[in-house]
Amino acid sequence: MAIQRRIPPPLPFADQVAIFSRLAEANPAPETELLFVNPFTLVVAVALSAQATDVGVNRATRGLFAVADTPEKMLELGIEGVTEHIRTIGLYRQKAKNVIALSRILVDDYAGQVPDSRAALTSLPGVGRKTANVVLSCAFGHPAQAVDTHIFRVGNRTRIAPGRDVDEVERAIEDNVPARFQTHAHHWLILHGRYVCQARKPRCGICPIRDLCPYEEKTA
């Protein structure tokens, strides 16, 4: 019988407040590093970012969004046109099909507008819960938590939001991060994981929350 890993308790409320206060002071208005011009291009950009870097996606979408920034224009471009723009991104053929398919649904079912509903967003081809949460947060300002590998790592290392999988970490953020920090929480955590609390060698020497972090394997 497999033994489930014990999940330690999250940090106390006072520590959560202190941590997010420091992150907010350092970066009061964090934003996604994916380039987009409207909710539709954000949906496309996040869908394309699966198994790809933001830098690589941005490089491909600059040209794509210059000619197709609405679902109607994307449909005019067609699968082959989308493919030509995104062929430098992993799984580009399937992603091109998804972009055209979700554009068709938005035109046919939503009058060309991106819905601000998680259920509606996740019904679109190539759009999972994480993608939907990014769109809800960045495009509509909802306190949705898009948990990726960076946030999963930071949530567990720091015990801000411990969990065995991304769903548990998402719930832990919602349950434990003070309400006033919820809107930007996933941005602060992903940026912290990307540039400070890195996977192989966390940069603890420059970490603004080092004294509050219980991670045992801190680096100099």
Side-chain angles (χ1 to χ4, degrees):
M1 180 183 296
I3 300 175
Q4 282 195 329
R5 179 171 65 89
R6 177 180 172 276
I7 300 300
L11 290 179
F13 182 79
D15 288 350
Q16 300 269 10
V17 171
I19 283 173
F20 283 97
S21 294
R22 293 181 192 180
L23 296 177
E25 183 178 3
N27 187 359
E31 297 179 348
T32 177
E33 294 186 320
L34 286 170
L35 300 178
F36 69 99
V37 296
N38 54 32
F40 170 69
T41 55
L42 179 60
V43 171
V44 172
V46 182
L48 294 178
S49 71
Q51 300 182 47
T53 66
D54 288 0
V55 172
V57 172
N58 289 341
R59 189 180 301 118
T61 56
R62 281 190 181 92
L64 176 63
F65 295 158
V67 296
D69 60 357
T70 67
E72 294 84 357
K73 292 177 182 177
M74 199 67 75
L75 290 174
E76 291 178 7
L77 197 58
I79 291 179
E80 290 305 317
V82 174
T83 300
E84 284 303 309
H85 283 283
I86 69 169
R87 62 173 56 253
T88 56
I89 300 175
L91 305 175
Y92 67 91
R93 293 189 186 280
Q94 183 58 51
K95 289 178 179 179
K97 293 178 182 178
N98 288 340
V99 168
I100 292 300
L102 70 84
S103 297
R104 172 53 63 193
I105 292 172
L106 290 176
V107 169
D108 291 348
D109 297 345
Y110 298 98
Q113 301 299 308
V114 174
D116 63 347
S117 155
R118 182 182 289 114
L121 287 167
T122 54
S123 72
L124 300 174
V127 177
R129 186 179 180 89
K130 185 183 78 172
T131 299
N133 283 349
V134 172
V135 174
L136 291 173
S137 174
C138 299
F140 299 110
H142 297 332
Q145 309 305 329
V147 178
D148 68 352
T149 55
H150 295 299
I151 296 178
F152 182 80
R153 178 176 67 255
V154 172
N156 279 287
R157 272 185 183 171
T158 63
R159 284 185 23 220
I160 289 171
R164 282 176 288 260
D165 54 40
V166 295
D167 291 334
E168 285 191 359
V169 171
E170 180 182 335
R171 288 194 295 272
I173 294 173
E174 293 171 346
D175 291 344
N176 299 297
V177 173
R180 67 180 183 271
F181 299 117
Q182 287 277 339
T183 299
H184 295 310
H186 94 268
H187 282 122
W188 283 316
L189 293 175
I190 192 173
L191 293 172
H192 190 68
R194 185 172 290 169
Y195 298 112
V196 180
C197 194
Q198 297 171 338
R200 294 187 178 181
K201 191 175 181 180
R203 304 174 68 194
C204 299
I206 65 168
C207 178
I209 61 171
R210 178 187 174 100
D211 59 311
L212 297 167
C213 174
Y215 183 54
E216 294 180 356
E217 300 175 34
K218 290 180 182 177
T219 58

